[in-house]
Amino acid sequence: MIEFVIADDYDDMSRKAADIISAQIASKPDCVLGLATGSTPVGIYACLAEKYNNGELDFTHITSLNLDEFKGLSHDDKNSYYHYMYRNLFSKVNIDLNRAFVPDGSIENADEACRRYEKNIADTGGIDLQLLGLGHNGHIGFNEPSDVFPKRTHLVNLAESTISANSRFFTYKKDVPKQAYTMGIGNIMESKKILMAVSGTDKADIVRKAFFGDITPNVPASVLQLHPNVTVIGDKAAFSEITDYI
Ligand code: F6R
């Protein structure tokens, strides 16, 4: 089942998404959170950090698993997703860094990198709540449009549109990574709950295709139509093409 929650704007979306994550932590203090990077969750993480500072949240027993990481970037590279997570959340709350997992982009051997991350995922016992953003081409994690839904953690060649979207964070285009390690669609679908956050008119078209179009690996997020527990939080702009359906 998919529940759509309409937010007024980006800040409202961030607060509402953070409230759902807080409720998850309150109901299961040792839960496993699946986390995402990108522009969309920055406000959500700021709200979670604020709640932690106010004494409303405790991350002591939380385990986290991030969706993806650029191949070739180590965790201390400022453009790595680990570094993003450290800046936006890990350094701001009392999460145990030994239980805050992000694929290791510095591992050159893809089979080894993916095998290790699959072990991390398996050792946690499974994800309780997976936070997702939505790529303009419908990707979730870095599962790009393709002919199949990849099951498990794998090495992916990033789509040209994804590389140019990511280039905003790099001084030189040549430095923008062209490959990433990502959880597969199977990993995402196995999580008990999914929380997707979307914001802005530039996501309106893909939100409609993902949730009201055909289920196809050409629009990877469309697979979420088959998940039993999905909440999509979007601002009015991101939902502007689906207001007649929800
Ligand atoms: C990031 C990730 C990606 C992003 C997506 C949207 O970990 O897995 O799927 O969620 O590219 O990115 P933004 O939020 O920057 O529009």
Side-chain angles (χ1 to χ4, degrees), residues 3-7 12-18 20 40 195-199 231-235 238-239:
E3 186 191 4
F4 293 92
V5 177
I6 306 181
D12 190 34
M13 177 208 76
S14 302
R15 270 191 303 273
K16 287 185 157 85
I20 291 179
T40 311
L195 174 62
M196 176 178 276
V198 281
S199 166
T231 301
V232 186
I233 300 193
D235 57 18
F239 281 175

Side-chain angles (χ1 to χ4, degrees), residues 151-172:
K151 284 204 186 79
R152 313 231 73 87
T153 307
H154 59 287
L155 175 68
V156 69
N157 294 319
L158 298 174
E160 260 320 309
S161 59
T162 306
I163 296 170
S164 57
N166 292 336
S167 65
R168 65 192 192 274
F169 302 113
F170 294 80
T171 315
Y172 302 108

Side-chain angles (χ1 to χ4, degrees), residues 53-88:
N53 286 332
N54 294 341
E56 294 167 43
L57 272 185
D58 179 12
F59 286 78
T60 308
H61 302 293
I62 295 295
T63 299
S64 71
L65 287 159
N66 263 79
L67 285 164
D68 40 22
E69 179 61 280
F70 292 121
K71 181 169 191 266
L73 301 192
S74 64
H75 281 179
D76 53 12
D77 188 308
K78 71 175 183 21
N79 285 311
S80 70
Y81 279 168
Y82 183 88
H83 207 277
Y84 165 105
M85 287 308 302
Y86 188 79
R87 278 194 314 271
N88 286 290

Side-chain angles (χ1 to χ4, degrees), residues 7 31 69 91 115 119 126 138 146 161 171 206 232 245:
C31 68
E69 179 61 280
S91 64
R115 194 192 54 74
K119 179 161 176 3
S146 88
S161 59
T171 315
I206 195 63
V232 186
Y245 308 124

